[in-house]
Amino acid sequence: MEITTTTENIKFPITIIHVNGDIDSTTSQAFMSKIEELISDGARHILVNISNVPFISSAGLRAIHIIFNQLRALHKDADDDVLRKNMSAGLYKSPYLKVTNLSPKLKEVFELGGFDTYIEIHNDINNAINSF
């Protein structure tokens, strides 16, 4: 797995993480470590471009969920009870973490795992950037 990053400045800096390769039990820690490093360096709005990710395992999904929680803790936008209620009602999508360019197979994995209830999924990187 290879990870590269770029930054787009719209209203604020958006860190775009381009992943090339599987995000699974052997690579999820490196994936998470890279994003944690970016957060530590000040990234507060993250877009994960997974157009070149053929496979994501439960370990990769867990890493995305952990990153979601880290960004939410930094922004303090809702307490846990309010967040769960809003997610259940379909009223919450993370304004800080989004993904783009999922293959149909990966989109199905995200939906089956319930990630689409709180993370926006975009088909186009420009639309994803403009959604922040």
Side-chain angles (χ1 to χ4, degrees):
M1 177 189 66
E2 292 179 31
I3 299 172
T4 58
T5 61
T6 57
T7 302
E8 290 286 332
N9 288 302
I10 306 296
K11 301 172 205 161
F12 38 75
I14 300 166
T15 303
I16 306 167
I17 298 161
H18 307 272
V19 183
N20 188 1
D22 295 340
I23 306 173
D24 56 22
S25 60
T26 60
T27 60
S28 64
Q29 186 57 48
F31 171 74
M32 196 165 70
S33 293
K34 178 62 177 176
I35 297 178
E36 287 174 337
E37 175 186 320
L38 293 166
I39 291 170
S40 172
D41 289 343
R44 295 296 179 264
H45 296 85
I46 295 176
L47 173 61
V48 182
N49 178 8
I50 55 177
S51 60
N52 293 314
V53 175
F55 176 77
I56 187 165
S57 73
S58 60
L61 293 173
R62 190 170 35 258
I64 290 172
H65 184 73
I66 290 168
I67 293 158
F68 162 78
N69 282 327
Q70 289 176 349
L71 287 169
R72 191 171 71 83
L74 287 171
H75 291 278
K76 298 176 175 76
D77 63 344
D79 69 35
D80 290 344
D81 291 334
V82 170
L83 180 71
R84 278 193 278 288
K85 181 179 176 184
N86 287 342
M87 284 171 49
S88 293
L91 300 174
Y92 181 87
K93 297 281 187 182
S94 174
Y96 318 112
L97 176 64
K98 302 180 185 204
V99 296
T100 189
N101 294 324
L102 282 79
S103 68
K105 181 179 172 183
L106 291 185
K107 187 173 182 179
E108 182 179 2
V109 168
F110 263 69
E111 290 170 352
L112 288 172
F115 284 76
D116 63 323
T117 63
Y118 62 96
I119 297 176
E120 284 182 32
I121 299 171
H122 293 272
N123 294 327
D124 174 85
I125 196 163
N126 290 323
N127 287 338
I129 290 167
N130 290 324
S131 73
F132 277 92

